[in-house]
């Protein structure tokens, strides 16, 4: 039988383990502070030695091998330690109705249905082995925790150790044989003698003296080390213009750039104390940008955009997260199987997996697999879709209901369409549209493979809705975007985007979002909702588009997305003010949520009429947007 997942990889965090943005930043900040303190123990030569390493390493790991930053969402707690996860509000999972005797394997799978199999009984020797592995993980975590302690704590620990040693010495003494002496200069050998009432006071005085000497020498060491630290900080200077030019011809190696990035961040984090008097914050930021573009391989445009979005330390977290592949995740096709059955089938093939988190009852994280996960018999039989965890979110927000009429306006290759169809239990109708016929081949194939029978696929420019068809209960617009949230999947985004691209995209997004809104029937008895999502983190493509929609369509309002994690959207950004309700939108980041960068906004349509001025309304329903000029009647006005 396959093994249970050993929680060795990052997984999207469950709701209650979300790492708040501020905390991430603080984490790095603390680390940088700690690195500075640690460097008391290292002279600058040692520091320079570090730069002799070549190759790109995570900035977090740069400061030294012993200092460390916990990757923001890095480790799931050990399976043994995790509490059973309560049922989520998702209603797509078929409850386990099986009764009677439960086999060992069933017992494991029963826990899967509980949202995790953390409490599954250990079944075999190999499980026991894994348990001890998990304990090893605890050990290493403890080590890490110690290495992250502020020096003051480590020092007090040392003191404690000294005390312990002293106590040990004392007790040893008390066990030894009897020598009586008042000589202040007794040898240690003498000390090893028995403690008597007569020499007790003398021994105590001597111990006090020793301790005082240790403390004095420790103080001295700290003073010296402090001077070294100050010296190191003074040593860091920005490169001159000549050096910058020279570096264009002969770039530094990555480890030197890495070191300089860290030094600049350290200075920026404590600018008043650590700056060079002749250099401005702008100078440091300029150099930082140059270095990060080089180190991470972004063009200047995108680097600027992303540095606008995050504080510097958090930007580093974001860039680092983009260097790491997100966990492979799959979504159970509940039209064909249950997650517990699917998990069991894959485990039987040797796949190492775990539930994604308590926020989804259909998702599984695949840690490793001896077989291609896109070619198992279960995959071929349509029991699951390989789908990024973030891509579940817009559908969860849309929450399509059975028997509804739902439009997925830009649907290919169909991850979200097929999830909608499954939530609707193959009832009602899903219109899966995409402007790209080529991409629709995959959409059609997925619809067939997953056994979906309530979906029609069509190939229009989304802007043609609602002329093509209107009156939907819900519309999903998973908009074409720049993909700045999925850089770990497509590194070309780092260099192939410009402001022109963003402008073109936002123009299209704005047109599409109005069409999406206009395609919904506000009077739907069960719906009247629109979800707008992108896999981009730029404000231009997210909040700015939603804000535009609110201004152009006063007949909609933002509502809670139902997603209980994710950072709230911006209500203002770099001098731009957005509607206060933008706080209801949700942002997801790779460094904070260990999933692709994503944005989700949910609207409720309040009326099918758009009041465009005091006395005119637009009614963009059905087969075309018609403008009806109406005399404003006080009684009937909205
Ligand atoms: C982010 S992808 C959609 C992914 C899809 N929702 C899924 O979950 O598999 C954006 C899609 O928008 C489509 N698209 C681009 N311009 C469009 C337009 N004007 N109308 C409709 N679809 C468009 C692209 O072909 C692309 O498939």
């Amino acid at each position: 039988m396959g093994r249970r997942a050993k929680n060795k990889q990052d997984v999207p965090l469950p709701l209650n383990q979300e790492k708040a943005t501020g905390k991430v930043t603080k984490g790095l900040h603390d680390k940088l502070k700690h690195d500075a303190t640690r460097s008391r123990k290292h002279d600058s030569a040692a520091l320079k030695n570090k730069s002799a390493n070549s190759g790109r390493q995570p900035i977090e790991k740069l400061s030294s091998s012993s200092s460390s930053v916990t990757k923001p969402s890095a480790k799931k707690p050990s399976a043994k330690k995790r509490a059973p996860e309560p049922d989520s509000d998702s209603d797509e999972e078929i409850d386990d109705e099986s009764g009677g005797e439960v086999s060992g394997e069933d017992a494991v799978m029963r826990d899967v249905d509980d949202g995790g199999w953390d409490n599954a009984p250990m079944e075999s020797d190999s499980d026991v082995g894994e348990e001890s592995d998990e304990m090893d993980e605890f050990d290493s975590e403890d080590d890490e925790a110690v290495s992250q302690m502020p020096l003051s704590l480590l020092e007090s620990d040392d003191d404690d150790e000294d005390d312990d040693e002293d106590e040990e010495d004392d007790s040893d003494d008390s066990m030894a044989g009897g020598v009586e002496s008042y000589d202040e200069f007794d040898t240690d050998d003498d000390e090893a003698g028995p403690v008597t009432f007569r020499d007790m006071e003398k021994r105590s005085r001597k111990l006090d003296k020793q301790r005082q000497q240790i403390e004095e020498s420790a103080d001295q060491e700290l003073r010296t080390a402090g001077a070294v630290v100050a010296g190191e900080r003074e040593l860091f200077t920005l490169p001159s213009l000549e050096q910058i030019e020279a570096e264009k011809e002969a770039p530094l190696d990555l480890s030197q750039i890495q070191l300089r990035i860290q030094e600049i961040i350290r200075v920026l984090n404590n600018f008043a104390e650590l700056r060079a008097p002749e250099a401005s914050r702008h100078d440091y930021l300029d150099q930082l940008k140059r270095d990060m573009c080089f180190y991470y391989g972004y063009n200047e445009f995108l680097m600027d955009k992303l540095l606008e979005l995050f504080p510097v330390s958090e930007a580093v977290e974001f860039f680092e997260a983009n260097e790491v592949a997100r966990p492979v995740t799959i979504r159970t096709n509940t039209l064909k199987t249950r997650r517990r059955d699917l998990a069991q089938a894959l485990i039987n093939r040797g796949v190492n997996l775990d539930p994604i988190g308590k926020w989804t009852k259909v998702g599984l994280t695949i840690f490793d697999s001896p077989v291609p996960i896109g070619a198992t018999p279960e995959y071929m039989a349509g029991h699951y879709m390989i789908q990024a965890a973030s891509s579940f979110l817009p559908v969860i927000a849309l929450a399509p209901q059975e028997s509804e009429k739902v439009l997925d306006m830009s649907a290919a290759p169909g991850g979200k369409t097929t999830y909608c169809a499954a939530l609707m239990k193959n009832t009602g109708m899903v219109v899966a549209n995409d402007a790209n016929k080529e991409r629709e081949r995959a959409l059609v194939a997925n619809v067939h493979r997953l056994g979906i029978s309530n979906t029609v696929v069509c190939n229009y420019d989304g802007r043609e809705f609602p002329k093509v068809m209107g009156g939907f209960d819900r519309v999903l617009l998973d908009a074409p975007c720049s993909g700045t949230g999925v850089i770990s999947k497509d590194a070309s985004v780092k260099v192939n985007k410009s402001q022109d691209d963003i402008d073109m995209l936002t123009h299209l997004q704005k047109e599409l979002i109005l069409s999406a809104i206009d395609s919904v029937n506000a009077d739907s008895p069960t719906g009247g909702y629109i979800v707008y999502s992108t896999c981009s983190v730029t404000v231009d493509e997210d909040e700015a588009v939603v804000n535009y929609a609110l201004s152009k369509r006063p007949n909609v309002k933002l509502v809670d997305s139902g997603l209980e994690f994710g950072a709230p959207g911006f209500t203002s950004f770099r001098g731009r003010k957005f509607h206060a309700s933008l706080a209801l939108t949700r942002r997801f980041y790779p460094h904070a949520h260990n999933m692709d960068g994503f944005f989700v906004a949910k609207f409720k349509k309040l009326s099918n009429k758009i009041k465009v001025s005091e006395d005119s309304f637009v009614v963009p329903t059905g087969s075309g947007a018609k403008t009806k000029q109406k005399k404003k009647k006080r009684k009937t006005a909205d």
Side-chain angles (χ1 to χ4, degrees), residues 295-325:
Y295 187 74
Y296 291 107
Y298 289 73
N299 67 13
E300 250 181 71
F301 162 74
L302 192 57
M303 180 57 66
D304 277 337
K305 272 261 170 264
L306 294 169
L307 284 175
E308 279 178 8
L309 202 59
F310 302 113
V312 166
S313 305
E314 195 184 350
V316 170
E317 298 276 344
F318 178 79
F319 298 138
E320 286 294 335
N322 288 342
E323 300 305 309
V324 182

Side-chain angles (χ1 to χ4, degrees), residues 409-416 433-436 439 460-462 478-480 508:
M409 193 173 254
S410 49
K416 297 175 191 75
N433 176 72
D434 201 281
N436 185 329
R439 283 172 65 90
Y460 294 99
D461 185 320
D478 185 34
L508 175 59

Side-chain angles (χ1 to χ4, degrees), residues 346-631:
L346 293 175
I347 285 170
N348 289 347
R349 296 190 188 285
V351 177
N352 191 7
L353 49 75
D354 224 0
I356 290 181
K358 73 174 181 181
W359 58 270
T360 168
K361 283 206 145 194
V362 292
L364 289 167
T365 300
I366 307 296
F367 296 100
D368 56 72
S369 169
V371 288
I373 213 69
T376 64
E378 289 74 23
Y379 177 84
M380 302 297 184
H383 289 195
Y384 61 91
M385 183 86 181
I386 301 173
Q387 192 168 356
S390 57
S391 163
F392 293 26
L393 302 172
V395 182
I396 294 173
L398 189 70
Q401 307 292 303
E402 287 176 50
S403 305
E404 284 187 339
K405 193 168 109 178
V406 172
L407 169 64
D408 187 352
M409 193 173 254
S410 49
K416 297 175 191 75
T417 297
T418 52
Y419 191 9
C420 286
L423 287 174
M424 293 161 71
K425 302 206 168 92
N426 251 344
T427 66
M429 178 172 70
V430 179
V431 175
N433 176 72
D434 201 281
N436 185 329
K437 220 168 192 168
E438 211 38 54
R439 283 172 65 90
E440 284 194 324
R441 286 175 199 277
L443 169 61
V444 171
N446 281 323
V447 165
H448 282 304
R449 185 175 59 84
L450 297 178
I452 286 161
S453 57
N454 68 343
T455 296
V456 292
V457 175
C458 56
N459 175 225
Y460 294 99
D461 185 320
R463 291 170 287 190
E464 290 179 45
F465 287 85
K467 277 188 230 156
V468 175
M469 196 190 288
F472 290 93
D473 295 298
R474 294 170 204 248
V475 173
L476 173 62
L477 172 57
D478 185 34
C481 70
S482 64
T484 55
V486 287
I487 290 171
S488 70
K489 284 198 182 97
D490 179 7
S492 70
V493 173
K494 289 178 180 180
V495 290
N496 67 10
K497 294 288 172 277
S498 65
Q499 187 60 52
D500 282 351
D501 295 320
I502 302 287
D503 290 345
M504 269 166 53
L505 280 164
T506 54
H507 186 77
L508 175 59
Q509 289 157 350
K510 285 173 180 173
E511 290 183 324
L512 286 171
I513 201 170
L514 297 189
S515 297
I517 291 169
D518 295 346
S519 303
V520 164
N521 176 17
D523 300 328
S524 159
T526 53
Y529 293 100
I530 303 102
V531 166
Y532 173 79
S533 61
T534 73
C535 57
S536 174
V537 294
T538 67
V539 172
D540 313 61
E541 297 174 83
D542 296 337
E543 285 87 347
V545 172
V546 169
N547 201 59
Y548 170 85
L550 289 174
S551 70
K552 292 287 174 190
R553 292 292 183 267
N555 55 334
V556 295
K557 64 168 187 177
L558 283 170
V559 292
D560 188 89
S561 64
L563 303 167
E564 288 165 25
F565 66 125
F570 291 99
T571 51
S572 63
F573 187 76
R574 310 226 132 219
R576 289 151 88 182
K577 279 259 170 245
F578 300 131
H579 194 274
S581 62
L582 260 296
L584 292 168
T585 64
R586 283 286 170 267
R587 296 186 143 256
F588 302 88
Y589 297 121
H591 62 289
H593 307 104
N594 196 23
M595 52 172 69
D596 293 331
F598 225 82
F599 175 82
V600 179
K602 181 174 184 174
F603 299 88
K604 170 84 175 126
K605 188 163 174 179
L606 306 168
S607 163
N608 286 323
K609 293 176 189 170
I610 309 165
K611 188 175 168 187
V612 287
S613 69
E614 275 302 288
D615 57 357
S616 67
F617 297 88
V618 175
V619 187
T621 53
S623 58
K626 290 180 190 152
T627 303
K628 292 184 183 172
Q629 295 291 333
K630 286 188 177 175
K631 271 263 177 258

Side-chain angles (χ1 to χ4, degrees), residues 233-254:
R233 284 169 181 171
E234 277 160 24
L235 279 181
F236 175 71
T237 47
L238 288 170
S240 63
L241 285 177
E242 294 74 41
Q243 281 170 317
I244 292 171
E245 283 308 308
E247 281 184 28
K248 283 182 190 162
E249 300 302 316
L252 300 181
D253 72 37
L254 285 179

